[in-house]
Amino acid sequence: MANQSSISEFLLLEFSGFQELQIAHFCLFLILYLMTLTGNLLIISVVVFDYRLHTPMYFFLMNLAIQDIASVSVLIPNTMINYVLNNRYISYSGCVAQVLFFISFVGCDVALLTVMGYDRYVAICNPLQYELIMNRRACRQMIGSVWMAGFLYGVLHTGGTFATPLCSNVVNQFFCEIPQLLKLACSDLFLAEIGSLIFSALAVVSILIFIVATYIQIFSAVLRIPSVQGRKKALSTCLPHVIVFSVFVTIVTFAYLRSPPQKPSHLDLAITLTYSIIPPMLNPLIYSLRNKEIKNALSKLLHF
């Protein structure tokens, strides 16, 4: 046991004492990380190199891919290095940085998915004004606001978490996860971070209401499109966003509203992997499955 002033590093979770299982865990993380990198880098590449994709929708999608790469890169490489070096420790400053950047990128994802919903609303419900409203300057300002909001969100939670005196340095997770860090609190000051989490939950609910209201209007407009082909094209640009947003909010909400277990378990590890790695890995796949423009751009890029 130690107070916060004497904590210089944290001890992270050891998945297994058996070398065979450690190798299996390393391979799992490596495969998931490479899949995430490959999918998102392909999205970035096709948007950058195919002029036909130089539109607001794909500009936002490219930024989502950048954020997804960044969020998993904050966690996974450090975990794999710890496996190779047989090291479970992370410095205090490293832990603070990990919390700050991971939460910032998660906040960026939520903000960007909201902006992408607004983009689809303007494109379908007000198509004649789309180029005027979603011009390059407006898109850059939206992206700047997304990154700023995400960073401020990360600062809010990081400050609330590490302002609390800690009585232990043992984190029952493979990275510095806020719910696990709050379990180490020595006093009721952790209620400040609980307040931040409640604020976050209210913000997510507000965003969810906005997205639902937006898509009610979008689907109403789609149903008024006279041609079947036109309705299919409109839906093909909306459904991936709906699926990505739904998966992201469901997984993150479940992960952070659950009560952290007193002892580490395989279920807790699986839940953490699900919300921290699976959405960034699935996003490129979801967006490319029903999008002919991305499929064609990928075929051209890969010379299929």
Side-chain angles (χ1 to χ4, degrees):
M1 303 293 287
N3 59 34
Q4 188 175 10
S5 61
S6 64
I7 292 179
S8 61
E9 57 188 8
F10 290 93
L11 182 65
L12 299 176
L13 177 67
E14 182 181 35
F15 294 140
S16 173
F18 298 100
Q19 186 177 8
E20 293 81 3
L21 289 178
Q22 289 179 351
I23 294 173
H25 284 131
F26 176 86
C27 293
L28 173 63
F29 277 103
L30 180 61
I31 291 171
L32 293 176
Y33 186 57
L34 291 178
M35 290 175 64
T36 303
L37 280 182
T38 301
N40 285 288
L41 285 175
L42 283 174
I43 292 293
I44 294 170
S45 299
V46 296
V47 173
V48 169
F49 293 111
D50 195 321
Y51 72 93
R52 293 170 298 180
L53 302 184
H54 292 179
T55 63
M57 182 178 77
Y58 295 110
F59 174 67
F60 295 139
L61 180 58
M62 180 183 69
N63 275 270
L64 181 65
I66 293 172
Q67 291 170 6
D68 285 341
I69 290 175
S71 66
V72 295
S73 296
V74 170
L75 306 180
I76 305 306
N78 182 72
T79 301
M80 293 191 296
I81 290 172
N82 286 348
Y83 274 127
V84 172
L85 299 179
N86 194 25
N87 175 42
R88 294 168 55 195
Y89 287 95
I90 183 172
S91 67
Y92 185 89
S93 58
C95 187
V96 172
Q98 196 173 64
V99 171
L100 172 62
F101 287 115
F102 179 68
I103 298 300
S104 294
F105 291 131
V106 170
C108 284
D109 272 1
V110 175
L112 183 55
L113 288 171
T114 306
V115 169
M116 293 172 75
Y118 175 73
D119 171 70
R120 291 300 83 206
Y121 167 77
V122 176
I124 294 175
C125 297
N126 197 5
L128 298 180
Q129 299 294 318
Y130 181 73
E131 291 187 4
L132 179 63
I133 296 174
M134 301 301 294
N135 57 68
R136 290 189 177 184
R137 181 181 178 184
C139 290
R140 288 195 295 266
Q141 289 176 340
M142 288 180 184
I143 288 299
S145 300
V146 163
W147 285 98
M148 184 176 296
F151 179 72
L152 293 176
Y153 180 75
V155 170
L156 172 69
H157 283 289
T158 305
T161 300
F162 289 96
T164 306
L166 305 177
C167 288
S168 174
N169 69 336
V170 180
V171 181
N172 289 324
Q173 193 51 267
F174 69 91
F175 71 99
C176 290
E177 185 187 37
I178 287 181
Q180 295 296 337
L181 290 169
L182 292 181
K183 290 170 60 178
L184 310 180
C186 299
S187 69
D188 290 338
L189 289 177
F190 75 92
L191 293 176
E193 175 59 16
I194 297 298
S196 298
L197 291 173
I198 293 174
F199 168 77
S200 300
L202 293 175
V204 169
V205 170
S206 300
I207 290 172
L208 184 61
I209 292 173
F210 171 79
I211 293 292
V212 170
T214 297
Y215 269 97
I216 288 175
Q217 297 183 62
I218 288 175
F219 289 135
S220 298
V222 169
L223 292 176
R224 293 195 296 269
I225 296 176
S227 67
V228 175
Q229 190 64 27
R231 288 196 295 269
K232 287 183 177 180
K233 183 177 180 180
L235 287 175
S236 69
T237 66
C238 294
L239 287 180
H241 176 262
V242 173
I243 295 171
V244 167
F245 184 82
S246 301
V247 169
F248 180 83
V249 171
T250 301
I251 291 176
V252 172
T253 301
F254 174 74
Y256 271 83
L257 291 184
R258 79 191 195 281
S259 298
Q262 295 301 315
K263 294 182 179 180
S265 65
H266 292 296
L267 176 61
D268 186 52
L269 173 62
I271 292 173
T272 303
L273 284 173
T274 299
Y275 87 79
S276 61
I277 301 177
I278 300 304
M281 185 181 70
L282 289 181
N283 288 348
L285 183 62
I286 293 172
Y287 270 102
S288 60
L289 278 178
R290 294 179 58 86
N291 192 305
K292 291 183 179 179
E293 291 178 326
I294 290 183
K295 287 181 179 178
N296 292 336
L298 279 173
S299 298
K300 183 179 178 181
L301 180 67
L302 301 175
H303 304 291
F304 285 165

